Amino acid sequence: MLSQNDKKLEKLDPFYRPSLSKQKTSAEIISEARNALRAVRTQRPFTPREDLRKLFGPASSRTPESRPPSSFSIHASSFEFSDSRPISGTRLSPLELKPKAPASPATVEDFCPSFPKPPVDPAKIRRISSARARLFRAASQGALLPARTLLPTQSKRVESEETVTTRDSVVKINGIYLTESKAIGHLKSHPLQLTYDGDFSKITEQEMFKGATTLPFHLRSGGDQGKRRLRASSSSHSPDRLRLDIRAGSKADLQEKNTEIEVDEVFWNTRIVPILHDLEKEGNIEMVCAICAQLHHALEEGNMLGNKFKRRSILLKTLYKLVDVGSDLLSLKLAKIILALKVSGKNLLNVCKLIFKISRSEKNDSLIRNDSILESLLEVLRSEDLQANTEAFLYCMGTIKFISGNPEFLHEMIGKGAVEILMNLIKQVNENTKESGTCLPNSGHLLVQMTATLRNLVDSPLARSKLLSINALPQLCTVMEQYIGDKDVCTNIARIFSKLTSYHDCCVALASYSRCYALFLNLINKYQKKQDLVVRIVFILGNLTAKNNQAREQFSKEKGSIPTLLSLFHTFYKLDLHSGKRWGEGDERPKAPRPAQAEDVLIKLTRVLANLAIHPGVGPAIAAHSHIVGLLLATLESKSIDDCEELVINTTATINNLSYYKVKNSIIQDRKLYIAELLLKLLVSNNMDGILEAVRVFGNLSQDHDICDFIVQKNVHKFMIALLGAKHQDICFSACGVLLNLTVDRDKRVILKEGGGITKLVDCLRDFGPTDWQLACLVCKTLWNFSENITNASSCFGDEAANTLLALLSSFLDEELALNGSFDQDLKNYHKLHWETEFRPVAQQLLNRIKNHHTFLEPLPIPSF
């Protein structure tokens, strides 16, 4: 007569148990393989590295005609010199001076207007030196820095704009306010007549620079040298020679401004002009680069960077002309200074193109890093207007995309705020697109570069942390929604999510954004035959549904979710079969993905189905879906584990999860014998992962009497007993589960004596019991079923097995001995839970049964663990 506890044990639980819907601790990791319904893992889709650096790779959906070029030429003539003028915050008043008509051509002292002159004939430009000719291959404007002053007879006269006052303390000379005494001194310091007519090419090299005391007036005054001639005479300052303009204002403010101007004049003359002189005469590229670095440092020291500096035009014109030298190293030096001078419009575009062109060669990465060009590019993205400079941003981002693929730049880029800058730009694009209601092509081109850069950055844990902290994932989803017609943008963001969802915190963040599921379904429907995009979307869905029951439920509730997956399964199943066909010579081959590509989609798709089947509300529906189950069985039948290992294993795992549900309309239950036949070829394979999955399916199916008969008829039970000796913990666990289900039938209990089944079960208890109480519980349940009609322990188990069982069970039931392992606290609590709730009740009953039917001939030794 069975006791009450024995009757409880007679009511056997199913071999597999569903996983609890709770947050896993670190200790529960070891039990993941034991769940009846298991999430399936797979590798992230492979993205090949592009050999050539271009704005758009070979897989781009854009036609060559519809995308901006990656190859172009940049010369000095590409830049606009009008942009070189400094920006002034003051509105200029019209000049009050009126030119006087000349009294006589012979009268040298009178002023006369200056008339336009044609461009200088290049043949008349004097050759200075071979180095200077190379550095200044300019247009008709010639050299930028004059070397001498012209005699009065060599120039026409024009009325001077200089004005002074003889009765007040305030003087204005060419827009600069000076005191009376300083104004007179200023005029006295220019005893020669100075002429500038926009043609510097006529100035000789020997007279180019003569020091700060003999500098040409157009470099000293800061006036508009390019549009007028200026003459300063050493004669007395009579009213006939100068017009006086008295200005009212605060004397102290004007003196302060005057002092500031004089300081700039001195710094320009003593620091900057000599450097420009060196740039003109130097022919060695390395020396020119060093001088450019010196120039940048001097400009920074003199606070002359930016777009407010008066002589900015002279600097920029000089720098633009040096672009024609064609040196990558020099061009980077020039670009850094040009960007620091805050150029705009076409010049900003051209300097970004210049850097982009250099960055296309991977060998120049070291140059870019040494010159800190990255910081200048990020400053452009940070400070310039996006809508006004979309094309400049495109090439700026293209450069950043290239170097972001170099791991050496990764830490620097993230540290300088690249993640925040890019996400801020993406937010602006989203807002602009929402306001305009249309997706501008240039914005799409720019998004391709930005998202490709983010794809490289998210390899860093710090970048992932930043993305989470600024809630970037919904913004990226919004981009996909608005630019769903741009496959390149969607593919790049899918690549970002593929990387991010491989990490638990990022996966949780995306799963919590409820709109992402409908978005992913829309992308699958729109690009169903675009393997590179679809495979990543399905991989993302697999990650989201792997460990999140709420994500499984949300996805399954989206309209058309299961039909969409079925359609995708059917499409790529056909493509895979079609691409595997042998074609003869002359046969027209269909335009289908390579076998590996179609197969990869199937691998990721079966994983999603396996994960969805874990949900108790979704699993039974899929198990009853004849088309899905039919495709799974067709895949298992047509594929060999030797050729398609991951696909076969994932398909088997999906069938395992579906076989857990014992529902009336389950196609799995209706075709269980056919499934059992398909699994036989896995059992006899040399792939241990495939064997394990097949045994797990048999564990679920063997709860059916017909499958138990099939197992015995096909001698599958002998294979299960042999697996007990594999010393593989998970395989022993699964094989023991099948044997447990077989021993429910009294007629089949005798099979445990075949092949040393009892001895192997005891060995499993000894080897794995102290660290795996679930497996120990299964062994005890199997032995309990086997010994139901026991009369003598020795005759039932054998003398050696009976003695070993007594010793093992006695020590395992001692809590202090059983749980005295070197586990951390979480793991110790986990083991204690399974020891108390699963192992101890059945082990105690089995021990009592053995003691009651065993004759003790000698003391039992206590085994050591």
Side-chain angles (χ1 to χ4, degrees):
M1 186 90 181
L2 294 176
S3 65
Q4 188 66 24
N5 288 334
D6 290 345
K7 288 180 179 179
K8 290 181 180 179
L9 287 173
E10 285 291 294
K11 197 173 182 178
L12 296 172
D13 293 331
F15 170 44
Y16 288 107
R17 293 179 178 80
S19 58
L20 299 176
S21 57
K22 65 175 184 178
Q23 185 69 31
K24 292 183 182 295
T25 64
S26 59
E28 293 175 309
I29 295 175
I30 63 171
S31 71
E32 286 185 354
R34 303 297 168 76
N35 292 332
L37 308 174
R38 297 182 311 104
V40 179
R41 299 173 182 173
T42 188
Q43 294 181 346
R44 181 165 56 83
F46 173 70
T47 301
R49 187 175 185 270
E50 295 178 359
D51 295 331
L52 298 178
R53 289 183 169 185
K54 295 183 178 181
L55 286 175
F56 304 96
S60 174
S61 61
R62 287 163 165 76
T63 61
E65 298 79 16
S66 65
R67 58 192 181 193
S70 294
S71 300
F72 41 76
S73 298
I74 296 292
H75 303 290
S77 58
S78 305
F79 294 87
E80 291 182 343
F81 289 88
S82 60
D83 180 60
S84 305
R85 300 174 184 170
I87 297 175
S88 172
T90 306
R91 183 181 294 276
L92 301 178
S93 301
L95 294 176
E96 298 178 358
L97 300 178
K98 296 181 180 180
K100 296 179 180 180
S104 170
T107 307
V108 181
E109 300 299 329
D110 294 338
F111 291 100
C112 63
S114 174
F115 296 97
K117 297 176 65 178
V120 178
D121 185 358
K124 295 181 180 180
I125 299 178
R126 183 176 178 178
R127 295 186 59 188
I128 299 173
S129 67
S130 60
R132 292 184 58 199
R134 186 178 68 256
L135 294 177
F136 289 86
R137 290 177 299 190
S140 62
Q141 296 183 14
L144 294 174
L145 300 176
R148 67 180 178 90
T149 56
L150 301 179
L151 296 177
T153 57
Q154 294 177 281
S155 157
K156 295 184 178 181
R157 295 166 295 166
V158 63
E159 182 178 1
S160 175
E161 188 189 6
E162 298 192 5
T163 61
V164 300
T165 176
T166 57
R167 295 185 295 274
D168 204 347
S169 59
V170 181
V171 182
K172 177 184 179 183
I173 301 178
N174 287 315
I176 302 175
Y177 293 95
L178 300 175
T179 61
E180 179 180 355
S181 60
K182 291 179 179 179
I184 296 174
H186 177 82
L187 293 174
K188 288 182 177 180
S189 66
H190 298 75
L192 298 177
Q193 178 184 10
L194 306 176
T195 300
Y196 170 67
D197 60 2
D199 183 10
F200 290 134
S201 61
K202 297 179 181 179
I203 302 173
T204 63
E205 177 184 16
Q206 291 80 8
E207 298 173 2
M208 182 65 70
F209 283 90
K210 297 182 183 290
T213 58
T214 60
L215 282 171
F217 181 78
H218 85 284
L219 288 178
R220 293 174 171 272
S221 66
D224 192 0
Q225 303 93 340
K227 294 186 178 180
R228 67 175 181 271
R229 297 181 182 181
L230 189 62
R231 174 183 170 188
S233 175
S234 59
S235 59
S236 61
H237 312 293
S238 63
D240 294 336
R241 303 303 302 272
L242 299 171
R243 296 195 59 180
L244 305 180
D245 184 13
I246 302 174
R247 303 294 184 184
S250 170
K251 183 176 181 180
D253 292 343
L254 293 175
Q255 286 179 342
E256 181 180 352
K257 183 176 180 180
N258 178 38
T259 302
E260 182 179 342
I261 293 174
E262 289 179 341
V263 170
D264 287 345
E265 293 282 335
V266 172
F267 190 86
W268 169 263
N269 295 332
T270 59
R271 294 292 305 278
I272 305 301
V273 170
I275 296 177
L276 295 179
H277 174 58
D278 291 341
L279 273 179
E280 266 200 326
K281 70 179 183 180
E282 183 56 58
N284 182 274
I285 296 298
E286 293 183 0
M287 289 300 300
V288 174
C289 291
I291 295 171
C292 285
Q294 182 184 0
L295 175 62
H296 188 279
H297 178 74
L299 291 171
E300 187 175 22
E301 181 183 347
N303 198 24
M304 292 180 174
L305 297 175
N307 57 7
K308 299 295 178 68
F309 176 49
K310 276 197 165 186
R311 294 181 176 85
R312 177 171 171 265
S313 60
I314 299 174
L315 283 173
L316 287 174
K317 289 176 183 178
T318 304
L319 299 174
Y320 293 157
K321 292 181 182 297
L322 289 172
V323 171
D324 283 341
V325 175
S327 164
D328 290 345
L329 178 60
L330 176 58
S331 294
L332 288 176
K333 301 285 186 184
L334 298 173
K336 186 175 182 180
I337 303 176
I338 293 171
L339 288 177
L341 290 171
K342 300 295 183 183
V343 294
S344 59
K346 185 178 179 181
N347 290 341
L348 178 59
L349 169 61
N350 283 326
V351 73
C352 289
K353 279 187 169 183
L354 179 63
I355 300 174
F356 173 86
K357 183 180 179 182
I358 296 170
S359 68
R360 290 195 61 195
S361 175
E362 193 171 346
K363 66 181 182 180
N364 288 331
D365 284 0
S366 58
L367 301 180
I368 294 174
R369 188 176 188 185
N370 294 338
D371 275 327
S372 302
I373 297 296
L374 173 62
E375 189 170 354
S376 301
L377 296 176
L378 292 176
E379 180 59 27
V380 170
L381 300 179
R382 185 187 293 112
S383 59
E384 298 295 337
D385 181 68
L386 171 60
Q387 287 184 289
N389 301 286
T390 304
E391 191 176 0
F393 276 39
L394 173 68
Y395 288 100
C396 180
M397 274 308 314
T399 299
I400 295 176
K401 178 188 73 173
F402 293 155
I403 62 177
S404 68
N406 187 334
E408 295 181 1
F409 283 91
L410 205 59
H411 182 73
E412 180 185 359
M413 293 182 70
I414 297 171
K416 293 184 182 300
V419 174
E420 293 87 347
I421 292 172
L422 293 182
M423 288 311 306
N424 181 55
L425 291 175
I426 288 175
K427 185 177 180 181
Q428 289 184 48
V429 172
N430 284 339
E431 292 173 351
N432 295 340
T433 303
K434 185 177 181 181
E435 291 176 2
S436 63
T438 58
C439 300
L440 301 177
N442 286 340
S443 297
H445 299 331
L446 179 59
L447 281 171
V448 172
Q449 311 308 313
M450 291 193 291
T451 52
T453 304
L454 280 176
R455 178 195 66 201
N456 293 332
L457 294 182
V458 294
D459 288 330
S460 166
L462 181 57
R464 296 193 294 270
S465 176
K466 286 178 177 289
L467 288 173
L468 292 178
S469 65
I470 60 179
N471 199 27
L473 273 58
Q475 286 290 342
L476 293 173
C477 287
T478 301
V479 174
M480 294 183 90
E481 290 175 345
Q482 294 180 340
Y483 287 82
I484 194 169
D486 193 326
K487 178 179 172 290
D488 294 345
V489 172
C490 293
T491 301
N492 279 347
I493 298 178
R495 286 171 173 168
I496 294 172
F497 286 159
S498 294
K499 290 186 175 184
L500 290 178
T501 54
S502 299
Y503 301 91
H504 177 71
D505 50 354
C506 298
C507 192
V508 171
L510 183 59
S512 63
Y513 184 66
S514 59
R515 292 172 57 182
C516 73
Y517 304 103
L519 170 63
F520 294 149
L521 286 171
N522 289 337
L523 286 166
I524 292 174
N525 287 322
K526 184 174 181 63
Y527 297 104
Q528 190 168 104
K529 293 187 178 182
K530 302 296 183 181
Q531 186 272 346
D532 57 335
L533 176 55
V534 167
V535 71
R536 288 169 175 82
I537 297 297
V538 179
F539 176 75
I540 295 165
L541 289 173
N543 289 344
L544 296 178
T545 57
K547 297 183 180 180
N548 192 325
N549 220 31
Q550 185 178 0
R552 298 166 190 144
E553 182 177 359
Q554 281 189 281
F555 176 79
S556 63
K557 287 184 177 180
E558 289 292 339
K559 184 178 179 180
S561 57
I562 300 302
T564 296
L565 295 182
L566 173 61
S567 176
L568 189 67
F569 199 163
H570 185 269
T571 297
F572 278 88
Y573 176 78
K574 292 294 185 183
L575 286 174
D576 185 53
L577 289 180
H578 203 49
S579 59
K581 178 183 176 181
R582 300 296 180 184
W583 298 89
E585 293 185 7
D587 290 345
E588 184 178 353
R589 299 171 183 257
K591 295 181 179 179
R594 297 191 304 271
Q597 293 178 330
E599 182 182 317
D600 200 21
V601 175
L602 295 177
I603 290 170
K604 273 57 177 179
L605 182 57
T606 52
R607 175 185 179 229
V608 174
L609 293 172
N611 293 347
L612 290 174
I614 297 174
H615 193 283
V618 183
I622 298 178
H625 203 298
S626 59
H627 293 297
I628 293 179
V629 174
L631 286 171
L632 289 170
L633 297 182
T635 301
L636 196 60
E637 181 180 16
S638 62
K639 296 295 182 180
S640 165
I641 195 168
D642 294 330
D643 300 328
C644 310
E645 177 181 1
E646 192 174 1
L647 177 57
V648 170
I649 290 175
N650 282 6
T651 303
T652 308
T654 306
I655 293 173
N656 171 54
N657 285 356
L658 296 176
S659 67
Y660 173 78
Y661 300 102
K662 307 298 185 290
V663 291
K664 292 182 179 180
N665 56 347
S666 171
I667 307 300
I668 297 292
Q669 296 302 319
D670 292 344
R671 306 191 65 181
K672 55 184 177 291
L673 289 174
Y674 175 67
I675 293 172
E677 287 280 0
L678 291 177
L679 294 176
L680 290 180
K681 65 178 183 179
L682 281 181
L683 288 178
V684 298
S685 70
N686 294 323
N687 190 300
M688 291 303 293
D689 292 329
I691 292 172
L692 176 59
E693 290 300 334
V695 173
R696 283 170 172 159
V697 179
F698 273 116
N700 280 340
L701 296 181
S702 61
Q703 296 179 48
D704 183 90
H705 182 75
D706 292 338
I707 295 299
C708 288
D709 291 341
F710 175 87
I711 289 174
V712 175
Q713 291 170 5
K714 299 292 185 179
N715 291 321
V716 176
H717 64 283
K718 295 181 180 180
F719 194 80
M720 298 300 168
I721 292 174
L723 289 176
L724 293 176
K727 303 302 180 181
H728 189 292
Q729 196 165 337
D730 289 335
I731 288 181
C732 289
F733 179 88
S734 300
C736 187
V738 176
L739 295 175
L740 169 62
N741 291 338
L742 288 175
T743 57
V744 174
D745 188 344
R746 292 182 176 88
D747 297 336
K748 296 180 176 62
R749 290 170 183 169
V750 68
I751 63 174
L752 288 184
K753 287 185 178 277
E754 299 180 17
I758 298 298
T759 301
K760 290 181 179 178
L761 284 171
V762 174
D763 290 342
C764 283
L765 182 64
R766 182 190 62 235
D767 296 338
F768 302 121
T771 57
D772 191 343
W773 297 117
Q774 288 180 302
L775 174 55
C777 178
L778 278 183
V779 172
C780 290
K781 282 187 175 184
T782 305
L783 294 175
W784 172 265
N785 287 354
F786 176 78
S787 62
E788 180 183 8
N789 299 321
I790 186 174
T791 56
N792 182 277
S794 295
S795 60
C796 181
F797 300 110
D799 289 337
E800 184 178 355
N803 288 335
T804 304
L805 275 173
L806 284 172
L808 289 174
L809 294 174
S810 297
S811 55
F812 286 173
L813 288 169
D814 186 325
E815 182 173 353
E816 184 176 354
L817 289 175
L819 301 177
N820 188 25
S822 57
F823 308 123
D824 58 44
Q825 191 58 43
D826 283 345
L827 201 55
K828 189 171 184 179
N829 292 338
Y830 171 80
H831 279 273
K832 184 176 181 180
L833 174 65
H834 287 285
W835 179 83
E836 289 181 344
T837 60
E838 298 186 39
F839 173 76
R840 186 167 64 176
V842 65
Q844 187 64 60
Q845 294 300 321
L846 180 61
L847 178 61
N848 292 339
R849 175 179 284 180
I850 295 175
K851 284 183 177 180
N852 292 336
H853 299 86
H854 187 62
T855 302
F856 296 94
L857 302 177
E858 56 185 23
L860 296 174
I862 298 177
S864 59
F865 309 123

